[in-house]
Amino acid sequence: MKKPELLSPAGNMESLYAAIEGGCDAIYLSGTLYGARSYAANFTNEQLKEAVSYAHMYNVKVYVTINTLIYEAEVKRFLEYVDYLVSIFVDAVIVQDIGMMDLLRSIYPDLEIHASTQMHIHNLEGVKLLEELGLKRVVLARETPIELISEIKDNSSIEIEIFVHGALCISYSGQCLMSSLIGGRSGNRGTCAQCCRQPYDLYSDGKKQNKEQYLLSTKDLNTLDYIPSLMDINVDSLKIEGRMKRPEYVYLITSLYRKVIDSYFSSGKVEVSSLEQKEIEKIFHRGFSKGFLFHEENNQFVNEFRPNHMGIPMGVVKDIKGSFVEIELTDNLEIGDGIRILGEKEDFGTTIDVIWKGKEKIKIARKKDTVTIPFKENVSKGSLVVKTTDKEQLERLKDQISKKLRKVPISCFLEAKKGSPIRLKLEEGKCQCEVESDFIVEESSTSPMTKERIKKQIEKLGGTVYSLKELSINMDDSIFIPIQKLNELRRLGIEKLTEKRLFRDNILKKEYHKNIPDFPLKKERSVYVTTLEQYEKIKNKEYDEIYIDGCIFYEIRNSKSILKIPRVQEHLKSTEEKVLVGELGSVAYYKDSVSDFSLNVVNSYSIAFLHGLGVRKVTLSYELNDYQIERMITEYHNRYKKNPCLEMIVSGPIEAMVMKYNLFEKYHLKGQNNKLVDKYHNQFPIKWKDGYVYIYHYQPRKLVDLEKYYAMGITCLRDSF
């Protein structure tokens, strides 16, 4: 068993300080460009440089997320940004876009690249492909079960990173178009509107099935009790979600996972107290889940009651007197705390600025007290009151962060011989340096220097990141050394050691070259069908290829038939058929393939990457507009001097989301007409297919003026049913 890396989030410098003080081994963060959390504060270029230097002082690595899809018009700026990241010595970049991944590995072969969870890697074949391409690490899909992770670890040598705590997407990451389709805010572009946290009603054959409304809002992942299982299979990195969270949250969660990892590694035991779990509940939670990682029960995966911080119970409304509420406390309440009173239809929150106990104003009320607070909203007797912000907790955590108790231990070796300069050697890990004084050691006639006095001066490392682990002194008897010279030598040694520790070799940049096939220009049509009835309707129409789901494929197979492989496949199965594939593992595994929209192709480099792997036809993303398509094809011609073979979906229902969470099981759905309905009365069809639940956009796609796409260079236009 090896000790895994603990990887913490940072949305700003304060969170970075908090993560480091909490004990992380590495931090992931984003600059102002191309990060999948655009609404976090994020880091300017100057702040990134400061962050990298600061983290490296503590031997903490920094991984920068550039994990959005990159449109053709952005590639030049994207590369300039990566050039900057390389120049400030970031330890790795985290990438979603397959074209940019391929471009970066070509021009920066020594740059460490991590495949983002947005890349939708969830099987051994996908992992092996990225390993062969030279990537250092894969962040597996959050839905990947521990048994499959173990199988992947046993059959690959690439590093594996797993999310262990924080918010969960209901959809497979990188496979959700819902926010993009509804409001133009793409989750693949870092601007997700969190449609899954919105209220919905569920109808089956016209009958409402739900009582609560937050049907897609997941609980938060919490695996503190399960970390030993991940350590036993040698997972390389354990990742905490939370770039949008406050520094105190980052510190608390990081410190608890640090404690668990260290405890299990040193003693084989882990104990997480109920008090520690309560601390997590206080600072933020939506209810907790062990995730599909550890086989969470389907009906326990979602918190359909509320999409926000649940807080902790702290009282019950006893009475209402005008604009005042009387609360019987089950926990302490303090000025500055945040509370929420839970109603049947709506919740109301406030920050406490005055507390009355009887006729007396107090600052802190205790458990079992009955207190009165001003509250203008209309609430009911008996309503539960929860604490959503604990002032005492936040102040305590802020104080712990500000103390900066984390230190880098160093070893020192000092030599002081008469007639020679003082020599000081410093070591930290594999890094070492040696300095000597401009003072020549003299014989002492009155007060000779002692080892105790030397140690007292050398260990004065306050104001630095260092602490003295050990000091070895080799000195003559009866020598004189001015205290000032010892201090100067210590400062000189620390400066030189720091310089050596922060030094990194420059990464060389190469030219981009790629050999890809040339395809003939064609004007073809294809169609996708899922049922025998649909096939009967289109079988006599002039389609060049027909994509067919596996459930009916072998009943209607013919010379035009192409088997559609599901885009979630934890274990791939062999076939001799031509196939339509929707994820990288299938791209690597199957021959004679067409790639589907779910590979998120939005630039010419992604097209070339897939053609280079043997994909004979590449389907473009739904998220492209006409201008972007035209520019992408133009740049492809200009760069490669060849024609791509491209397909566009022009009509039919749009798969907006694919989930491992099973709404059909949760609500015992049996009808064929199942829909989610949002607050604007939009109806989203849902289907059970391939062992997963698919949510479809309420508006089918219907493009017109199709000839213009052939004129742009599109080879094939697809209808779907």
Side-chain angles (χ1 to χ4, degrees):
M1 179 178 68
K2 66 178 181 181
K3 185 180 285 192
E5 170 189 89
L6 177 58
L7 177 57
S8 295
N12 53 39
M13 285 299 296
E14 289 70 27
S15 291
L16 179 131
Y17 301 147
I20 290 173
E21 288 305 307
C24 71
D25 300 302
I27 288 171
Y28 68 102
L29 49 78
S30 178
T32 56
L33 299 172
Y34 314 123
R37 286 291 182 272
S38 292
Y39 300 118
N42 294 323
F43 293 74
T44 66
N45 280 4
E46 282 304 309
Q47 288 173 332
L48 278 174
K49 185 175 182 180
E50 178 187 350
V52 171
S53 294
Y54 185 88
H56 284 176
M57 286 288 290
Y58 288 90
N59 291 326
V60 171
K61 294 181 177 181
V62 176
Y63 309 142
V64 177
T65 63
I66 44 176
N67 59 336
T68 63
L69 299 181
I70 306 299
Y71 292 127
E72 199 69 40
E74 298 171 323
V75 173
K76 183 174 182 292
R77 191 181 184 195
F78 174 85
L79 288 178
E80 291 171 350
Y81 181 55
V82 174
D83 289 344
Y84 177 75
L85 297 179
V86 169
S87 75
I88 63 171
F89 305 111
V90 301
D91 296 282
V93 293
I94 306 171
V95 181
Q96 171 190 7
D97 190 293
I98 56 177
M100 295 304 97
M101 176 268 291
D102 191 46
L103 175 59
L104 291 183
R105 77 181 187 91
S106 300
I107 64 175
Y108 278 123
D110 296 324
L111 175 64
E112 186 169 314
I113 301 173
H114 298 176
S116 169
T117 190
Q118 291 285 122
M119 205 179 282
H120 187 49
I121 305 300
H122 60 278
N123 52 39
L124 176 60
E125 290 78 8
V127 169
K128 292 293 287 183
L129 171 62
L130 296 181
E131 181 181 339
E132 291 167 8
L133 293 173
L135 271 68
K136 181 69 178 295
R137 178 181 296 183
V138 173
V139 188
L140 289 178
R142 291 172 173 90
E143 295 80 359
T144 312
I146 186 169
E147 295 82 5
L148 181 52
I149 297 171
S150 180
E151 179 185 333
I152 289 170
K153 280 297 301 177
D154 289 343
N155 292 279
S156 65
S157 57
I158 194 170
E159 291 182 0
I160 299 299
E161 179 178 306
I162 301 297
F163 278 94
V164 294
H165 197 98
L168 291 164
C169 291
I170 192 73
S171 173
Y172 275 82
S173 297
Q175 300 298 295
C176 182
L177 299 175
M178 206 145 173
S179 178
S180 176
L181 293 169
I182 293 173
R185 288 172 51 177
S186 170
N188 286 318
R189 297 277 294 161
T191 57
C192 178
Q194 293 196 311
C195 299
C196 54
R197 304 290 183 193
Q198 299 302 310
Y200 296 92
D201 285 323
L202 175 61
Y203 286 85
S204 181
D205 290 335
K207 295 180 181 179
K208 184 178 173 181
Q209 304 295 310
N210 61 297
K211 179 181 178 183
E212 305 298 337
Q213 286 195 297
Y214 295 98
L215 308 185
L216 302 178
S217 185
T218 59
K219 295 179 180 178
D220 289 343
L221 183 64
N222 181 345
T223 67
L224 272 172
D225 292 330
Y226 300 90
I227 292 303
S229 298
L230 293 172
M231 293 176 65
D232 287 344
I233 63 172
N234 290 318
V235 169
D236 299 277
S237 181
L238 306 179
K239 185 173 194 172
I240 298 167
E241 182 277 337
R243 279 188 287 149
M244 301 284 285
K245 297 294 196 303
R246 63 199 313 162
E248 296 85 0
Y249 173 94
V250 173
Y251 173 83
L252 175 64
I253 304 303
T254 299
S255 61
L256 288 176
Y257 277 86
R258 176 80 280 153
K259 174 186 173 182
V260 167
I261 291 168
D262 292 349
S263 173
Y264 188 68
F265 186 78
S266 61
S267 68
K269 297 179 181 179
V270 171
E271 291 185 3
V272 180
S273 69
S274 58
L275 182 62
E276 288 168 328
Q277 288 286 10
K278 186 175 180 181
E279 283 289 291
I280 301 176
E281 291 175 13
K282 278 184 184 181
I283 203 156
F284 191 90
H285 78 110
R286 297 183 180 93
F288 288 127
S289 169
K290 58 188 177 183
F292 292 124
L293 170 63
F294 291 107
H295 306 290
E296 181 63 272
E297 293 180 24
N298 184 75
N299 291 358
Q300 298 300 316
F301 190 64
V302 161
N303 175 2
E304 66 264 43
F305 302 99
R306 284 166 188 84
N308 47 13
H309 178 27
M310 296 287 287
I312 60 168
M314 52 79 59
V316 176
V317 174
K318 187 175 181 181
D319 201 1
I320 300 150
K321 300 175 181 178
S323 58
F324 289 85
V325 171
E326 190 176 82
I327 302 172
E328 186 174 337
L329 298 180
T330 57
D331 202 347
N332 295 346
L333 181 66
E334 182 177 356
I335 298 293
D337 285 350
I339 69 165
R340 187 184 303 131
I341 299 180
L342 308 184
E344 288 187 13
K345 295 184 178 180
E346 192 173 0
D347 302 342
F348 300 99
T350 189
T351 300
I352 301 298
D353 54 15
V354 61
I355 304 173
W356 293 87
K357 184 178 179 183
K359 295 182 179 180
E360 180 187 2
K361 278 186 179 181
I362 59 175
K363 292 183 178 180
I364 301 177
R366 302 298 179 185
K367 181 178 179 180
K368 296 185 179 181
D369 285 348
T370 297
V371 299
T372 302
I373 63 168
F375 206 86
K376 296 180 180 179
E377 305 294 345
N378 186 18
V379 297
S380 304
K381 290 182 182 180
S383 295
L384 180 66
V385 185
V386 298
K387 186 187 295 186
T388 54
T389 303
D390 188 296
K391 179 186 175 185
E392 183 277 329
Q393 181 193 45
L394 293 180
E395 289 180 345
R396 172 167 38 86
L397 293 173
K398 283 177 183 176
D399 182 60
Q400 290 170 351
I401 296 167
S402 66
K403 287 178 180 177
K404 294 193 174 181
L405 297 178
R406 180 168 178 171
K407 297 294 180 181
V408 178
I410 60 174
S411 299
C412 295
F413 308 89
L414 184 137
E415 182 179 82
K417 298 290 185 179
K418 295 173 186 175
S420 299
I422 314 165
R423 293 184 175 87
L424 179 65
K425 182 179 179 182
L426 301 92
E427 289 185 357
E428 190 281 311
K430 296 180 180 179
C431 190
Q432 57 182 245
C433 70
E434 188 170 324
V435 292
E436 63 178 41
S437 68
D438 59 2
F439 171 78
I440 304 301
V441 177
E442 302 172 356
E443 176 133 12
S444 172
S445 57
T446 54
S447 301
M449 179 62 68
T450 65
K451 288 186 177 182
E452 289 74 19
R453 190 62 190 274
I454 290 174
K455 181 181 179 183
K456 184 178 180 181
Q457 297 310 121
I458 298 299
E459 67 184 2
K460 286 185 176 181
L461 297 171
T464 75
V465 303
Y466 302 105
S467 64
L468 187 63
K469 181 173 67 174
E470 63 173 321
L471 173 62
S472 176
I473 300 173
N474 180 13
M475 59 180 286
D476 288 342
D477 295 332
S478 301
I479 59 173
F480 170 71
I481 302 174
I483 295 299
Q484 177 188 0
K485 295 301 178 180
L486 285 175
N487 292 339
E488 288 176 358
L489 191 65
R490 182 193 68 238
R491 285 193 295 268
L492 182 63
I494 290 298
E495 288 173 3
K496 191 169 183 180
L497 179 66
T498 299
E499 182 181 349
K500 280 205 163 191
R501 291 182 62 238
L502 293 181
F503 176 79
R504 300 290 190 279
D505 289 321
N506 290 320
I507 297 178
L508 299 178
K509 188 175 183 180
K510 297 186 177 182
E511 293 294 321
Y512 170 73
H513 297 288
K514 195 162 194 69
N515 293 320
I516 51 175
D518 193 12
F519 294 91
L521 292 174
K522 294 181 181 179
K523 295 173 66 174
E524 295 182 339
R525 292 301 297 266
S526 65
V527 65
Y528 168 49
V529 296
T530 61
T531 67
L532 291 172
E533 291 77 14
Q534 291 171 1
Y535 177 74
E536 289 298 319
K537 289 179 181 179
I538 61 91
K539 67 180 181 180
N540 295 322
K541 295 183 179 180
E542 294 184 1
Y543 285 111
D544 298 280
E545 292 182 320
I546 304 172
Y547 305 118
I548 308 172
D549 277 350
C551 59
I552 61 169
F553 178 82
Y554 293 98
E555 297 182 51
I556 55 178
R557 169 172 58 173
N558 57 45
S559 61
K560 295 181 180 181
S561 299
I562 296 178
L563 175 63
K564 184 181 187 299
I565 303 297
R567 57 168 151 155
V568 180
Q569 284 276 82
E570 291 181 351
H571 291 91
L572 300 178
K573 300 176 183 178
S574 299
T575 179
E576 299 294 323
E577 309 294 341
K578 294 183 290 184
V579 291
L580 173 67
V581 298
E583 52 89 26
L584 282 179
S586 296
V587 169
Y589 187 76
Y590 296 106
K591 309 303 177 187
D592 194 11
S593 67
V594 176
S595 66
D596 210 354
F597 73 91
S598 52
L599 279 152
N600 296 323
V601 172
V602 299
N603 57 61
S604 59
Y605 293 90
S606 295
I607 299 168
F609 170 67
L610 291 171
H611 279 330
L613 290 177
V615 173
R616 64 177 175 86
K617 185 163 56 174
V618 175
T619 305
L620 301 181
S621 166
Y622 280 113
E623 298 192 84
L624 288 167
N625 61 37
D626 290 356
Y627 168 78
Q628 291 166 334
I629 293 170
E630 190 165 24
R631 176 162 184 170
M632 177 177 63
I633 295 172
T634 298
E635 291 294 333
Y636 189 97
H637 288 151
N638 292 341
R639 185 180 312 109
Y640 305 110
K641 313 302 181 188
K642 293 176 181 178
N643 294 314
C645 185
L646 303 177
E647 182 163 318
M648 266 187 71
I649 302 171
V650 296
S651 74
I654 303 173
E655 293 178 3
M657 191 184 290
V658 55
M659 307 185 298
K660 197 168 190 176
Y661 168 60
N662 191 343
L663 274 168
F664 286 77
E665 178 185 325
K666 171 82 172 182
Y667 294 96
H668 309 290
L669 302 182
K670 296 180 180 179
Q672 297 299 312
N673 182 18
N674 299 295
K675 295 178 180 179
L676 286 170
V677 181
D678 69 12
K679 58 187 175 183
Y680 304 109
H681 309 294
N682 297 313
Q683 298 183 13
F684 300 82
I686 60 173
K687 294 182 181 179
W688 170 259
K689 188 174 62 169
D690 313 320
Y692 298 90
V693 173
Y694 290 77
I695 300 177
Y696 292 79
H697 188 39
Y698 62 85
Q699 287 184 332
R701 188 173 178 92
K702 185 62 179 177
L703 300 182
V704 295
D705 189 16
L706 301 185
E707 285 296 323
K708 70 178 179 182
Y709 296 112
Y710 290 128
M712 289 179 190
I714 300 293
T715 307
C716 184
L717 302 179
R718 186 200 305 178
D719 298 316
S720 60
F721 290 89

